[in-house]
Amino acid sequence: MLEKGFNFKIGDYVLKGQIDRIDPHPDGGVEIIDYKTGNIPKDDRRMDKDQLLIYQMAVEEVLQKKVDSLSYYYLDI
């Protein structure tokens, strides 16, 4: 899946977002892939990794898929 949108509720909050890429694995699980472009300061990369954990919660809640791995690619273009 590419550019998969999601909405899910945590407590009183509704989270909306868009996942760059979700690849299926042979075991039925998935890999979530997020891409970042440009020059990203190292301090900002920690927040970006936290974003992947939110994506994992969304995929498990909304798509009912087991997340096998989370991948981040920084593209310096």
Side-chain angles (χ1 to χ4, degrees), residues 62-74:
V62 176
L63 301 179
Q64 299 291 300
K65 295 284 186 180
K66 177 183 171 266
V67 176
D68 292 329
S69 59
L70 304 168
S71 299
Y72 232 19
Y73 293 98
Y74 295 96

Side-chain angles (χ1 to χ4, degrees), residues 1 13 16 21 31 42 46-47 59 61 70 77:
M1 289 180 239
Y13 301 96
K16 295 180 182 184
R21 183 170 151 184
E31 176 182 9
K42 288 189 179 188
R46 173 137 174 88
M47 281 195 304
V59 167
E61 176 75 22
L70 304 168
I77 51 175

Side-chain angles (χ1 to χ4, degrees), residues 16-57:
K16 295 180 182 184
Q18 193 163 341
I19 300 170
D20 290 338
R21 183 170 151 184
I22 303 172
D23 286 354
H25 284 178
D27 68 354
V30 297
E31 176 182 9
I32 298 172
I33 301 170
D34 194 29
Y35 298 100
K36 296 294 181 194
T37 59
N39 188 1
I40 301 169
K42 288 189 179 188
D43 291 343
D44 291 344
R45 291 182 184 184
R46 173 137 174 88
M47 281 195 304
D48 290 341
K49 290 179 183 178
D50 292 342
Q51 180 180 350
L52 278 175
L53 297 175
I54 293 170
Y55 289 171
Q56 179 179 354
M57 291 188 305

